[in-house]
């Protein structure tokens, strides 16, 4: 299931449409600073990279940290260097310069705002949908389950537009943006990272299942709708339990999401009304 998570996230990282890898948003200093993490639910192994600038696929960096180092999280230049030493694909920082993202950044920077990769404009045109300007998130994540009951989850992001001072979000933080445990579920989050860190969101979903016996749907909905929404913590998550039950709640107007079960038929949704 780790391979499936990595492969799915690689495709989205290589696409300019998502806020991860190629399409990562800009930090205040005009650089792209990416965060990613991955976890597997059998032995609870995990890896993460934070604030990296040159790893083409940050999720590969996270997996390498998990499998090839004695650590869980590497950051900044050290993480970039580690990835290079591991033979991962390295790009010149220019590779991540996407015109649309640059324009978005200039706008947000001019207003001195900190933004999720959307604006308050919800006109919903195709471009808005494609470039996440209609209250949708561009961070990418995946949860996978294999036939042995092993769950894995991963998340990759450029973070929030105009972030400053080396800000790191929830995405590379195990338990906040990503979590997996075969006893409960796999979770990957998107949204306003500061709230997700403080509310330990991904682990909270797992804990509600483990200690309170909630289903994945009940646990995920409880956290996103009853805990995050009342404090205006925008975002959502994807979660799957070890039987393949899926929950994908969000408290914004939309969240790109999809799944495929054993029958092979893909399901895709954007808005809350997509069922
Ligand atoms: N959670 C990400 C962060 O705060 C942003 C996002 O999901 O769009 O860095």
């Amino acid at each position: 299931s780790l391979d499936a998570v990595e492969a799915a996230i690689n495709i989205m990282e290589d696409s300019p449409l998502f806020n991860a890898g190629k399409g990562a948003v800009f930090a205040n200093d005009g650089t792209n600073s990416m965060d990613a993490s991955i976890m597997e639910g059998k032995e609870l192994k995990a890896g993460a990279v934070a604030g990296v600038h040159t790893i083409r696929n940050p999720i590969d960096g996270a997996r390498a940290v998990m499998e090839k180092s004695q650590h869980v999280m590497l950051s900044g230049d050290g993480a970039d260097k580690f990835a290079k030493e591991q033979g991962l694909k390295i790009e010149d920082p220019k590779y991540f310069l996407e015109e649309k993202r640059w324009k978005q950044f200039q706008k947000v920077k001019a207003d001195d705002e900190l933004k999720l990769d959307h604006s308050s404009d919800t006109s919903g045109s195709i471009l808005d949908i494609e470039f996440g300007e209609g209250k949708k998130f561009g961070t990418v994540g995946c949860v996978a389950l294999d036939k042995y009951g092993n769950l894995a989850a991963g998340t990759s992001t450029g973070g929030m537009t105009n972030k400053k001072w080396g800000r790191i979000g929830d995405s590379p933080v195990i338990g906040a943006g990503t979590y997996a445990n075969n006893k409960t579920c796999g979770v990957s989050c998107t949204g306003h990272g500061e709230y997700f860190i403080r509310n330990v969101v991904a682990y909270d979903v797992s804990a509600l299942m483990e200690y309170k016996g909630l289903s994945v749907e009940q646990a995920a909905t409880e956290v996103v709708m009853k805990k995050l929404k009342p404090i205006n913590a925008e975002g959502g998550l994807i979660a799957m339990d070890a039987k393949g039950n899926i929950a994908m709640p969000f408290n914004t107007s939309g969240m790109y999401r999809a799944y495929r079960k054993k029958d092979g038929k893909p399901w895709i949704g954007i808005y809350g009304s997509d069922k």
Side-chain angles (χ1 to χ4, degrees), residues 12-93:
M12 297 186 279
E13 287 176 332
D14 289 344
S15 161
L17 298 179
F18 303 98
N19 174 18
K22 176 78 180 134
V25 299
F26 286 88
N28 178 264
D29 61 1
T31 63
N32 305 98
S33 177
M34 300 167 286
D35 303 333
S37 65
I38 194 162
M39 182 164 185
E40 61 81 35
K42 189 178 174 202
E43 294 169 58
L44 307 189
K45 286 189 291 197
V49 292
V52 296
H53 299 104
T54 62
I55 310 177
R56 181 187 172 108
N57 297 104
I59 197 72
D60 298 3
R63 188 169 179 186
V65 172
M66 174 175 116
E67 292 175 341
K68 309 276 171 56
S69 85
Q70 297 170 315
H71 308 298
V72 171
M73 189 192 282
L74 299 182
S75 70
D77 294 345
D80 278 312
K81 189 163 170 243
F82 169 77
K84 193 171 176 196
E85 283 172 15
Q86 291 299 320
L88 301 185
K89 278 189 218 145
I90 299 298
E91 298 286 351
D92 185 280

Side-chain angles (χ1 to χ4, degrees), residues 210-273:
E210 184 171 359
Y211 301 126
K212 237 182 162 185
L214 299 193
S215 69
V216 67
E217 179 73 45
Q218 289 168 334
T221 306
E222 172 85 21
V223 174
V224 173
M225 298 307 189
K226 303 236 176 82
K227 285 188 158 176
L228 298 177
K229 195 168 180 207
I231 54 170
N232 292 323
E234 284 188 300
L237 58 85
I238 55 170
M240 181 162 56
D241 70 16
K243 294 207 171 72
N245 296 306
I246 294 167
M248 303 195 282
F250 50 96
N251 58 33
T252 52
S253 55
M255 181 176 82
Y256 304 104
R257 58 208 190 278
Y259 64 76
R260 190 157 67 189
K261 292 192 177 178
K262 259 195 300 210
D263 63 15
K265 242 181 49 207
W267 179 91
I268 298 171
I270 296 177
Y271 301 101
S273 51

Side-chain angles (χ1 to χ4, degrees), residues 19 25 33 35 115-118 136-140 155-161 163 167-172 177 189-197 234-236:
N19 174 18
V25 299
S33 177
D35 303 333
K115 280 251 154 122
L116 287 161
D117 73 326
H118 66 247
K136 295 162 217 85
F137 304 95
T139 287
V140 306
T155 310
S156 181
T157 189
M160 290 175 78
T161 302
K163 60 188 181 179
R167 180 263 189 192
I168 304 292
D170 60 309
S171 307
C189 302
T190 183
H192 195 145
E194 280 68 12
Y195 291 96
F196 282 68
I197 294 174
E234 284 188 300

Side-chain angles (χ1 to χ4, degrees), residues 59-175:
I59 197 72
D60 298 3
R63 188 169 179 186
V65 172
M66 174 175 116
E67 292 175 341
K68 309 276 171 56
S69 85
Q70 297 170 315
H71 308 298
V72 171
M73 189 192 282
L74 299 182
S75 70
D77 294 345
D80 278 312
K81 189 163 170 243
F82 169 77
K84 193 171 176 196
E85 283 172 15
Q86 291 299 320
L88 301 185
K89 278 189 218 145
I90 299 298
E91 298 286 351
D92 185 280
K94 280 205 262 328
Y95 162 83
F96 302 99
L97 207 166
E98 272 298 313
E99 190 62 33
K100 287 258 164 14
R101 292 294 189 205
W102 183 254
K103 288 206 183 114
Q104 181 186 41
F105 164 56
Q106 296 303 330
K107 218 174 122 207
V108 175
K109 191 174 177 178
D111 301 339
D112 195 26
E113 287 177 297
L114 171 69
K115 280 251 154 122
L116 287 161
D117 73 326
H118 66 247
S119 72
S120 48
D121 168 14
T122 47
S123 57
S125 74
I126 278 295
L127 271 188
D128 285 345
I129 291 168
E130 279 188 353
F131 296 101
E133 299 207 332
K135 290 243 173 198
K136 295 162 217 85
F137 304 95
T139 287
V140 306
C142 176
V143 180
L145 171 68
D146 69 17
K147 62 180 174 188
Y148 307 107
N150 293 315
L151 285 162
T155 310
S156 181
T157 189
M160 290 175 78
T161 302
N162 204 28
K163 60 188 181 179
K164 294 178 186 169
W165 308 298
R167 180 263 189 192
I168 304 292
D170 60 309
S171 307
V173 180
I174 297 301

Side-chain angles (χ1 to χ4, degrees), residues 171-188:
S171 307
V173 180
I174 297 301
T178 304
Y179 193 72
N181 187 334
N182 287 355
K183 283 201 296 197
T184 54
C185 61
V187 183
S188 172

